[in-house]
Amino acid sequence: MGAEKEFTWEELAKHNIAGDLYVAVRGNVYDVTKFLNRHPGGVDTLLLGAGRDVTPVFDMYHAFGTGDAIMKKYYVGKLVSNELPIFPEPSGFHKNVKSRVEGYFKDTGKDPKNRPEIWGRYFLIFASLLLSYYAQFFVPFVVERTWLQVIFAVIMGFACAQVGLNPLHDASHFSTTHNPTVWKILGATHDFFNGASYLVWMYQHMLGHHPYTNIAGADPDVSTAERDVRRIKPNQKWFWNHINQHMFVPFLYGLLAFKVRIQDVNILYFVGTNDAIRVNPISLWHTVMFWGGKIFFFWYRIYVPLQVLPLKKVLILFTIADMISSYWLALTFQANHVVEEVEWPLPDENGIIQKDWAAMQVETTQDYAHDSYIWTSITGSLNYQAVHHLFPNVSQHYYPEILSIIRDACTEYKVPYLVKDTFWQAFSSHLEHMRVLGLRPKEE
């Protein structure tokens, strides 16, 4: 019997297409090319993970031990180097909290991916978006009154943000139904109604942010330039422009949507990475959705309104809606992770994060407003962010039900669970974090 084949991460990365598809889990490399069309989670999910170590993602979306017998058949060797940080074997906390939540759904007979209320929310979101759009440009009573157009632009911007927080976000975690086609359609609404790429979001969010939360150089959500406009990470270099950053940087969050649309093209067609997350070859479906979405977005947000309104007013209404959407999404995200109380883990010299992955998810996350149905609804349940990070594949409508299971496990295993009473307290924590990191370090 010959020596066991060894793969560097660079060698693994070459096997990233449908006809040559390898993945690594816990240091073992598998050739799953023949399994691609039989994967219960669909073709897209495997193609996204192709050519990488997907251990954290695999654990997020599978029960421990699931698929072991199947995976054995596809084993081809060992992974001997790492592109991104790796984690120790799952701890007792991780195994037990996962087992208890899975047990809850089994005992109650509830399907964690199906909750009828979600379809009512989707309907309300898209109805609000379309009706507010129509009112701005085609209802004479509104068109004759600029102040009413502005109100409807605000409503539309908020609805566009809800597309991101609900159908897009749910689709990117496969948490609504068990049907991959449904996920692709829901994800495409982000391309068409927001003009931003579902595919790029998947690389950033599902393959980057969730596995490597708050880890500099691995989590695209906390990626910063060498001399960035803001300082958000303790290990980030300080510059004079960071002084009092908490007083001006949040105003720039209104440019998020504009930035993302430009960044989409750059990531997919020029640099080929989202921070440290590599982009694999783009399928025909995603190519059509990407460019079709960009064209449709321009058509419905700029071209059609120009047929009935002057350019200046079209741009004003567009900017209002875009900034409302941007602010809502940015402020919601920042209040969860970029705050003073959370951890900012770094790998050791061997690229290992010396902390259990599940415990890290809780310790890098801040919840807020658990008692508010309104905040739960208008943030896409991201006020239960720690619950979401541990169980992203569970419908957001179940988060309040499984919260006590998770918090009990955190208490038992001494994992600190961070939660604020209100959103405003959580956002104040973000501002304080920015203020402190904007101070001139003593050694400067």
Side-chain angles (χ1 to χ4, degrees), residues 351-380:
I352 302 172
I353 299 290
Q354 295 293 347
K355 183 177 284 292
D356 172 63
W357 179 87
M360 186 196 78
Q361 294 303 309
V362 178
E363 294 175 15
T364 55
T365 300
Q366 176 176 263
D367 285 8
Y368 54 84
H370 281 172
D371 296 330
S372 173
Y373 175 79
I374 292 176
W375 277 103
T376 300
S377 300
I378 62 179
T379 61

Side-chain angles (χ1 to χ4, degrees), residues 204-430:
Q204 173 166 336
H205 192 70
M206 194 269 284
L207 286 175
H209 172 64
H210 268 261
Y212 308 107
T213 311
N214 278 15
I215 300 175
D219 179 358
D221 277 13
V222 296
S223 174
T224 50
E226 176 65 25
R227 182 165 186 163
D228 206 84
V229 69
R230 65 177 189 160
R231 184 175 185 238
I232 58 173
K233 296 171 288 193
N235 70 329
Q236 188 179 340
K237 189 173 181 180
W238 180 89
F239 291 96
W240 65 267
N241 61 284
H242 296 139
I243 297 173
N244 292 326
Q245 61 176 349
H246 65 293
M247 299 178 69
F248 64 87
V249 166
F251 290 103
L252 299 178
Y253 295 167
L255 301 175
L256 175 66
F258 177 77
K259 169 181 174 287
V260 165
R261 295 185 195 111
I262 301 300
Q263 183 177 279
D264 284 348
V265 178
N266 190 46
I267 288 171
L268 289 186
Y269 291 96
F270 293 96
V271 298
T273 64
N274 192 340
D275 196 14
I277 309 302
R278 288 177 288 103
V279 173
N280 284 338
I282 308 169
S283 69
L284 176 61
W285 165 269
H286 284 297
T287 300
V288 172
M289 291 301 102
F290 183 87
W291 291 111
K294 299 290 186 193
I295 293 169
F296 178 84
F297 180 80
F298 177 83
W299 177 80
Y300 101 99
R301 291 294 296 273
I302 302 295
Y303 179 79
V304 171
L306 281 175
Q307 308 312 302
V308 293
L309 293 177
L311 176 62
K312 181 179 178 180
K313 181 169 275 192
V314 169
L315 293 180
I316 288 172
L317 294 174
F318 176 92
T319 301
I320 290 170
D322 226 38
M323 292 188 74
I324 291 295
S325 180
S326 296
Y327 277 125
W328 191 254
L329 290 171
L331 299 183
T332 300
F333 296 155
Q334 300 307 302
N336 285 133
H337 296 293
V338 187
V339 293
E340 57 181 336
E341 293 90 346
V342 301
E343 297 293 327
W344 295 83
L346 290 171
D348 64 19
E349 63 276 8
N350 297 312
I352 302 172
I353 299 290
Q354 295 293 347
K355 183 177 284 292
D356 172 63
W357 179 87
M360 186 196 78
Q361 294 303 309
V362 178
E363 294 175 15
T364 55
T365 300
Q366 176 176 263
D367 285 8
Y368 54 84
H370 281 172
D371 296 330
S372 173
Y373 175 79
I374 292 176
W375 277 103
T376 300
S377 300
I378 62 179
T379 61
S381 302
L382 293 188
N383 56 326
Y384 288 85
Q385 185 78 333
V387 179
H388 169 63
H389 267 252
L390 289 173
F391 296 96
N393 58 326
V394 170
S395 170
Q396 57 171 286
H397 286 270
Y398 286 116
Y399 293 170
E401 292 184 30
I402 62 176
L403 173 65
S404 62
I405 299 173
I406 294 167
R407 295 199 70 168
D408 287 348
C410 287
T411 300
E412 181 181 339
Y413 286 91
K414 296 181 172 54
V415 176
Y417 194 105
L418 306 173
V419 59
K420 299 289 189 184
D421 291 335
T422 68
F423 167 80
W424 302 111
Q425 290 177 352
F427 184 63
S428 294
S429 181
H430 169 63

Side-chain angles (χ1 to χ4, degrees), residues 4-17 20-24 27-31 33 49-53 76-84 278 280:
E4 188 171 49
K5 185 169 177 55
E6 295 182 339
F7 294 84
T8 63
W9 75 260
E10 292 92 345
E11 291 170 325
L12 175 65
K14 296 174 183 177
H15 302 275
N16 67 344
I17 59 174
D20 180 19
L21 201 166
Y22 287 19
V23 296
N28 295 320
V29 178
Y30 303 93
D31 177 356
T33 307
R52 4 176 158 252
D53 182 350
V76 291
K78 288 287 184 182
L79 184 65
V80 296
S81 64
N82 302 299
E83 179 182 16
L84 294 168
R278 288 177 288 103
N280 284 338

